[in-house]
Amino acid sequence: MTAHLDGNAARLYNRYLEGKDAHPVDDAAAQAVMEVAPWVQRVAQHNRGFLRRSVHYLAGEVGIRQFLDIGVGMPQSPNVHEIAQSYAADARVVYVDHDPDVISHCRAMMDSTPEGMVEVLEGDVTRPQSILGAAETQRTLDFTEPIALLLVTVLLFVPDDQHPRPAVKRIIDELPSGSHFVFAHATADFAPTEVAEIARIYAEAGVRTQVRTEAEVQQFFTENGLELVEPGMVTTNAWRPTESEPFTTRIESGVWAGVARKP
Ligand SMILES: C[S@@+](CC[C@H](N)C(=O)[O-])C[C@H]1O[C@@H](n2cnc3c(N)ncnc32)[C@H](O)[C@@H]1O
């Protein structure tokens, strides 16, 4: 079975978002996951919904004009810059991912964006200085003005032995007061048996994962001295749901999420 699996976190996630008809026959891992957890496409959709609503909130209500989106994944319109620039044409975004395939897709998308407003950087969240010190980041983001840091369903792929906590702290420490942290993290809290099986399928495909509990996810906010905005840390589909993006069930989310302000 392993020989047929597609060991790429971004592409697997993209398969769930594109729906059943989009699966190539050789995409055995995505297929296996959907058999174990038929609601996994809803997980991905709720995750994108949270990301969109959080950026609408930050750009539209808080007035944030700078976004650092780490673990951006394959482009999915509306992307962060499209939402942010619908409020302010001068909103700036740096997209980061460690996957060269994701980076080339993001760069292709950037052809249509105004010069200097959106940058794409190949970087790894476990090496924060390579992101903070990169020329793309430095010329695009002003670290004296509030920045929104997005880590949306990325640390699932950063097990504890890769030290995600000091990495996140290092980045948040660099952000000025008034900055915000948009964080979403997969959990096994609602479907432990199925999530354990999904982890096994991913591992077989060469993708290491680590789900985290509610308390472990919450700690990323508290240990960095951040103030969660309403409604606090909830499942993605319970974060400011709308009529068109309503709350369904916690299993269909499977992801803890929140937006917090740096005082
Ligand atoms: C599930 S996708 C999430 C995409 C997007 N943030 C969203 O929520 O729609 C996870 C992404 O994180 C990226 N990723 C995983 N580990 C990473 C790391 N150590 N540094 C940077 N990106 C990483 C993967 O390549 C993938 O594109």
Side-chain angles (χ1 to χ4, degrees), residues 153-190:
T153 322
V154 181
L155 297 190
L156 164 67
F157 305 103
V158 184
D160 283 346
D161 61 14
Q162 292 180 18
H163 312 294
R165 291 188 186 281
V168 171
K169 182 173 188 330
R170 171 77 184 85
I171 301 170
I172 290 175
D173 281 353
E174 205 69 22
L175 305 177
S177 169
S179 292
H180 284 68
F181 180 38
V182 179
F183 188 47
H185 198 303
T187 189
D189 291 356
F190 311 117

Side-chain angles (χ1 to χ4, degrees), residues 10 13 47-48 71-73 97-99 123-125 152-154 157-158:
Y13 177 68
N47 192 60
R48 287 304 297 181
V72 53
D97 207 286
H98 74 160
D99 181 340
D124 195 311
V125 69
V152 181
T153 322
V154 181
F157 305 103
V158 184

Side-chain angles (χ1 to χ4, degrees), residues 12-259:
L12 283 168
Y13 177 68
N14 207 40
R15 290 281 176 266
Y16 310 143
L17 286 169
E18 283 173 1
K20 287 193 177 97
D21 298 339
H23 304 154
V25 288
D26 61 343
D27 198 344
Q31 200 60 53
V33 168
M34 286 186 284
E35 275 162 26
V36 169
W39 64 87
V40 73
Q41 289 175 283
R42 300 290 296 145
V43 171
Q45 288 159 1
H46 284 306
N47 192 60
R48 287 304 297 181
F50 163 70
L51 185 145
R52 283 193 298 270
R53 296 193 302 279
S54 66
V55 176
H56 275 291
Y57 163 73
L58 291 171
E61 292 185 41
V62 182
I64 298 283
R65 295 291 175 259
Q66 311 189 89
F67 295 81
L68 177 56
D69 183 359
I70 303 179
V72 53
M74 295 291 183
Q76 288 284 339
S77 193
N79 295 286
V80 169
H81 72 282
E82 293 166 312
I83 300 172
Q85 290 174 352
S86 74
Y87 292 96
D90 63 347
R92 278 156 290 144
V93 181
V94 176
Y95 290 120
V96 182
D97 207 286
H98 74 160
D99 181 340
D101 200 20
V102 168
I103 293 301
S104 61
H105 278 85
C106 285
R107 291 218 166 106
M109 168 184 79
M110 291 312 135
D111 287 349
S112 54
T113 63
E115 182 90 25
M117 295 301 184
V118 183
E119 286 279 1
V120 177
L121 169 67
E122 187 173 335
D124 195 311
V125 69
T126 62
R127 290 184 289 105
Q129 192 50 37
S130 71
I131 297 172
L132 296 169
E136 290 89 338
T137 308
Q138 288 296 321
R139 67 174 169 250
T140 311
L141 303 180
D142 173 359
F143 280 79
T144 67
E145 293 291 326
I147 294 172
L149 167 66
L150 281 76
L151 278 173
V152 181
T153 322
V154 181
L155 297 190
L156 164 67
F157 305 103
V158 184
D160 283 346
D161 61 14
Q162 292 180 18
H163 312 294
R165 291 188 186 281
V168 171
K169 182 173 188 330
R170 171 77 184 85
I171 301 170
I172 290 175
D173 281 353
E174 205 69 22
L175 305 177
S177 169
S179 292
H180 284 68
F181 180 38
V182 179
F183 188 47
H185 198 303
T187 189
D189 291 356
F190 311 117
T193 310
E194 292 88 342
V195 172
E197 181 59 12
I198 292 170
R200 193 195 59 73
I201 294 166
Y202 269 67
E204 208 172 79
V207 181
R208 286 182 70 208
T209 58
Q210 181 175 340
V211 289
R212 293 184 170 92
T213 64
E214 180 176 13
E216 288 169 335
V217 179
Q218 188 93 43
Q219 202 185 330
F220 280 94
F221 295 109
T222 52
E223 70 192 359
N224 289 298
L226 303 174
E227 298 167 346
L228 279 158
V229 305
E230 285 298 320
M233 194 183 90
V234 292
T235 57
T236 46
N237 53 3
W239 199 90
R240 302 183 183 221
T242 62
E243 213 170 305
S244 59
E245 294 182 353
F247 173 74
T248 55
T249 64
R250 302 216 296 183
I251 287 183
E252 278 198 1
S253 164
V255 173
W256 289 114
V259 176

